[in-house]
Amino acid sequence: MNIESIKTKINSILSNTITTEEKLQAICDYLKSEISYYDWVGFYFKNGNKEELKLAQFAGEPTEHTIIPFGKGICGQVAVSNENFVVQDVTEQDNYISCGWKVKSEIVIPIFVNGENIGQIDIDSHTINPFTKKDEELLEYICKEIAVFL
């Protein structure tokens, strides 16, 4: 994975004059196509004043998990903890919401605007133990860049 090349492409997407929704979709599509073990890439955002996340743009198989209560699953836990969550093997997590039998691992990174956790990027992989510090650094960078225009 060439992080600098991926960052350049992300910056190009974000500087485009398309809508916010189109930018988020382009990021999902690009990451899914560029990184072989990113089998599902999506954004969840806080659903108004409710204590839940709502699915926004994504690339990959459709999911029935369009609303996730705070505290439930990996995404819901990140909404509460405000911290990155890397799960190298989902079978080792008691509080995991299965998005399909193919999913073996997941990484979720929060997006902060003015110090508030307003959403997150969620990556599912069909591979056990694929994520490294480079993935975490890349996704943190993307979340910081996205926060600028949200």
Side-chain angles (χ1 to χ4, degrees), residues 52-108:
E52 64 186 22
L53 297 165
K54 185 174 184 178
L55 179 63
Q57 290 68 34
F58 70 93
E61 294 181 13
T63 178
E64 62 190 43
H65 303 291
T66 57
I67 301 289
I68 298 176
F70 282 13
K72 296 286 183 186
I74 308 308
C75 290
Q77 289 178 78
V78 169
V80 174
S81 73
N82 299 320
E83 295 178 1
N84 297 353
F85 201 162
V86 181
V87 179
Q88 298 289 9
D89 182 351
V90 296
T91 64
E92 295 178 358
Q93 283 296 314
D94 292 335
N95 189 2
Y96 171 70
I97 300 173
S98 176
C99 290
W101 63 271
K102 294 180 197 170
V103 178
K104 305 291 187 223
S105 56
E106 184 172 6
I107 183 171
V108 179

Side-chain angles (χ1 to χ4, degrees), residues 3-4 12 15 17 41 50 55 57 59 65 72 83 92-93 109 111 116 132 139 146:
I3 287 189
E4 292 312 312
S12 170
S15 65
T17 56
V41 178
K50 299 176 184 172
L55 179 63
Q57 290 68 34
H65 303 291
K72 296 286 183 186
E83 295 178 1
E92 295 178 358
Q93 283 296 314
I109 308 294
I111 302 169
E116 180 187 354
T132 68
L139 296 172
I146 287 170

Side-chain angles (χ1 to χ4, degrees), residues 13-31:
I13 291 169
L14 293 176
S15 65
N16 203 320
T17 56
I18 56 179
T19 67
T20 296
E21 291 77 16
E22 289 169 323
K23 289 176 184 182
L24 294 174
Q25 187 62 57
I27 289 169
C28 291
D29 294 339
Y30 173 69
L31 290 175

